[in-house]
Amino acid sequence: MTRQDFVIRFRRLRAPRFTRRMASLLLPIGSAFGNSLFANHQAISSDKVRGLVVRCSTWDLKAEASRASELRDAFNVIKRRDIIGLAFGLSSLFIDSFEAKGAGLPPEQKPRLCDDTCEKELENVPMVTTESGLQYKDIKVGAGPSPPVGFQVAANYVAMVPSGQIFDSSLEKGQIYIFRVGSGQVIKGLDEGILSMKAGGKRRIFIPGSLAFPKGLTSAPGRPRVAPNSPVIFDVSLEYIPGLEVDEE
């Protein structure tokens, strides 16, 4: 047997075993490692699917939250508008009712600075007449200082025609009237009548037409007309004089 024949025979004998060994390295799909790879492939796919479901659920939740937020914002806007509208409605109602408070009341029920008892007491109070023709009666003499010309004063007042019907009142407005006395901010008779008062005092001032309203005042619901240069009556309470308050000891 030659060397060449021996090599050929050896290859024929060894080839099947070599083939089997190489085949075993191919790891068919049914093998354990192949199954593990497929199982991993399935696991990865499942994770991806679960991740997709989670993301979709998250998107749905975000969308629902966004819609809920939009609805909440819209509700809040409507609510704010309703509250603002209600506030304006109440404020206008309050203002209208406040302005009509005195006008809607009978004359005998309107707030006054001098009640029935005061009226009876005034009958015995002497009348003071000034050079200008102004007259007054002190309901109460104040204990404070008298206001210098040009100083601010804080006063309440009730203005009436000679019949006693009220045509203007700080009590009905609910606000103390502050002005500079003696500077022409009010009618001449009121300036003169207050300048001789003392803080804390009350006075009824009878103002002649020449010191009252030269052009008169038009009538309004609950308010009588004041004819030009007609006499008027003011009940005045001098509450205080800013800057001249008496220090309490």
Side-chain angles (χ1 to χ4, degrees):
M1 181 182 294
T2 63
R3 179 179 177 81
Q4 185 176 3
D5 294 334
F6 176 79
V7 172
I8 292 171
R9 183 177 294 181
F10 176 78
R11 288 177 178 176
R12 288 176 179 177
L13 292 173
R14 300 291 295 178
R17 295 179 182 177
F18 179 77
T19 302
R20 283 195 298 271
R21 290 178 181 177
M22 291 299 295
S24 65
L25 295 177
L26 293 179
L27 299 175
I29 295 176
S31 65
F33 186 70
N35 288 336
S36 65
L37 284 178
F38 184 72
N40 290 337
H41 179 71
Q42 286 182 332
I44 292 171
S45 300
S46 299
D47 290 341
K48 289 182 178 179
V49 171
R50 284 196 297 271
L52 180 60
V53 172
V54 170
R55 285 194 295 272
C56 291
S57 300
T58 303
W59 291 338
D60 291 340
L61 290 174
K62 288 182 178 179
E64 292 295 333
S66 178
R67 286 194 292 269
S69 178
E70 292 176 358
L71 291 174
R72 185 169 58 254
D73 293 341
F75 176 76
N76 289 335
V77 170
I78 295 173
K79 188 176 181 181
R80 285 195 296 270
R81 288 177 180 173
D82 292 341
I83 292 174
I84 293 173
L86 179 61
F88 276 115
L90 289 176
S91 63
S92 62
L93 178 62
F94 176 77
I95 291 172
D96 292 342
S97 62
F98 187 74
E99 290 179 349
K101 178 181 178 182
L105 290 174
E108 63 274 9
Q109 294 183 11
K110 290 187 176 182
R112 295 176 181 269
L113 288 173
C114 187
D115 56 16
D116 293 339
T117 303
C118 170
E119 293 287 352
K120 292 180 180 180
E121 292 177 353
L122 276 180
E123 294 177 0
N124 301 320
V125 176
M127 181 79 74
V128 178
T129 304
T130 67
E131 295 180 359
S132 65
L134 184 78
Q135 294 180 319
Y136 64 82
K137 288 185 176 183
D138 281 319
I139 300 171
K140 174 186 176 182
V141 178
S146 295
V149 176
F151 265 59
Q152 282 189 331
V153 295
N156 275 310
Y157 68 90
V158 175
M160 302 168 282
V161 295
S163 66
Q165 192 174 3
I166 297 173
F167 66 85
D168 194 10
S169 171
S170 65
L171 299 181
E172 293 179 11
K173 296 174 182 177
Q175 186 175 2
I176 294 177
Y177 186 50
I178 298 178
F179 65 98
R180 293 190 180 277
V181 67
S183 61
Q185 293 183 353
V186 295
I187 58 176
K188 294 179 180 180
L190 192 56
D191 265 339
E192 182 182 345
I194 290 179
L195 280 171
S196 59
M197 290 181 67
K198 292 183 179 181
K202 291 183 182 180
R203 176 176 289 182
R204 172 164 291 179
I205 307 173
F206 301 87
I207 303 174
S210 58
L211 302 176
F213 300 95
K215 296 182 180 180
L217 296 174
T218 58
S219 62
R223 186 183 77 185
R225 174 178 177 269
V226 178
N229 296 314
S230 64
V232 292
I233 301 171
F234 272 76
D235 284 348
V236 179
S237 173
L238 182 55
E239 303 296 336
Y240 63 92
I241 304 170
L244 293 180
E245 294 90 344
V246 178
D247 296 330
E248 296 182 0
E249 298 181 358

